[in-house]
Amino acid sequence: MKIIHLHHSGFLIQFDDKTLIFDCFTKIPNNFMRKGIPHYFFVTHGHSDHFSRDILNVEKEFQPTYIFSDDIPEMHTPRNYRMAPYQHMSLGGLDIKTFGSTDLGVSFYIAANNHRIFHAGDLNWWDWDTTLRPDIDPAQEEKDFKAELARMKGLPMEFAFIPVDPRLGDSFYKAGEYFIQEFHPKVLIPMHFRDDFSIIEKFKTKVEPTDTLIPDFRGRNITLKTSWLDQF
């Protein structure tokens, strides 16, 4: 198993028999794609920093299948599926459940190859500075985020991809910290920070000590091949 950070909230997970790709809106290096292996593209919502129509141009030899949030218009391409929040689907050895978002679209909970993977999309505790976003109700944002996570109570969490967004200022860590407290995932992978990789170390200083492993990575198209992943 390999986990590759593409960019922002984009990740690629390689198993021996399949590849899962989440929220890709940048070009995937050719060496990350494997001929004759099915590639499953998951898109949590239609924002331009999570979705590009370029993924529809993947060559047939990579056996692409697309699982879109239903906020994205129907695509006229083979093997594509649309899912609303709180739906369930079995597909190609994957068990896929959707949950909601505190912005747009869905979040994905996937059982694959004896692993449990959660990709939050834009499900985040959007605790904006109200001097910058006077339209935001911080109390309601907290309530909405925690209510959505309550819907997932009891689900085993192994790999969780959670927004750690530096635009939130001093509140950037709240979603990740709360997620760790509620679910104790084995691994929490920060995302949704563009190229501000320094936010990962800042996040770790906020939430550690914790039994949850938090990888540190410093670039786009990086394979997370550190000792913490070897045990999985």
Side-chain angles (χ1 to χ4, degrees):
M1 177 184 182
K2 289 183 180 179
I3 298 177
I4 297 167
H5 173 246
L6 299 173
H7 178 44
H8 198 48
S9 297
F11 288 87
L12 184 151
I13 302 176
Q14 288 183 347
F15 296 108
D16 289 340
D17 62 338
K18 63 177 69 74
T19 294
L20 315 184
I21 302 168
F22 295 88
D23 282 5
C24 175
F25 69 103
T26 54
K27 181 175 175 55
I28 302 173
N30 290 336
N31 60 312
F32 293 160
M33 306 283 281
R34 298 173 295 164
K35 295 180 181 179
I37 298 293
H39 290 66
Y40 296 90
F41 287 82
F42 292 87
V43 183
T44 62
H45 61 289
H47 287 164
S48 61
D49 61 338
H50 293 258
F51 171 58
S52 168
R53 293 181 64 93
D54 289 345
I55 63 173
L56 301 176
N57 299 325
V58 171
E59 297 174 13
K60 291 181 180 179
E61 61 190 354
F62 297 115
Q63 302 177 31
T65 296
Y66 304 94
I67 302 94
F68 295 113
S69 165
D70 71 344
D71 71 282
I72 297 173
E74 291 192 31
M75 300 291 175
H76 300 291
T77 183
R79 295 188 60 77
N80 78 85
Y81 304 85
R82 300 170 75 245
M83 298 185 73
Y86 321 119
Q87 292 187 333
H88 174 252
M89 177 172 63
S90 294
L91 179 67
L94 303 173
D95 190 78
I96 305 165
K97 294 179 180 177
T98 54
F99 290 92
S101 175
T102 46
D103 193 338
L104 185 66
V106 302
S107 46
F108 286 108
Y109 179 84
I110 300 166
N113 295 54
N114 296 315
H115 293 292
R116 301 293 186 273
I117 299 160
F118 178 70
H119 191 288
D122 267 358
L123 172 60
N124 195 12
W125 184 338
W126 294 109
D127 188 23
W128 292 97
D129 182 341
T130 54
T131 62
L132 300 175
R133 294 286 299 273
D135 57 314
I136 293 294
D137 179 349
Q140 188 63 47
E141 293 295 328
E142 177 180 357
K143 181 179 178 181
D144 291 346
F145 175 73
K146 291 182 176 180
E148 194 57 47
L149 264 58
R151 292 176 177 268
M152 295 180 271
K153 189 173 180 62
L155 289 177
M157 292 287 178
E158 190 174 7
F159 296 95
F161 298 81
I162 304 297
V164 177
D165 193 322
R167 298 176 302 165
L168 296 177
D170 292 340
S171 298
F172 76 94
Y173 68 94
K174 285 186 175 181
E177 180 184 59
Y178 187 78
F179 197 94
I180 290 172
Q181 292 170 352
E182 290 296 299
F183 294 101
H184 307 285
K186 292 182 179 180
V187 181
L188 187 142
I189 300 174
M191 65 177 189
H192 209 273
F193 49 76
R194 293 284 183 174
D195 291 304
D196 185 2
F197 294 94
S198 66
I199 203 70
I200 299 174
E201 187 59 36
K202 294 175 184 176
F203 176 69
K204 292 171 74 171
T205 63
K206 287 286 188 180
V207 301
E208 291 181 338
T210 174
D211 291 334
T212 295
L213 299 170
I214 303 167
D216 194 7
F217 47 98
R218 296 285 170 169
R220 301 186 189 187
N221 301 319
I222 294 295
T223 301
L224 308 185
K225 294 174 63 177
T226 51
S227 59
W228 61 266
L229 187 56
D230 295 340
Q231 61 188 285
F232 299 102

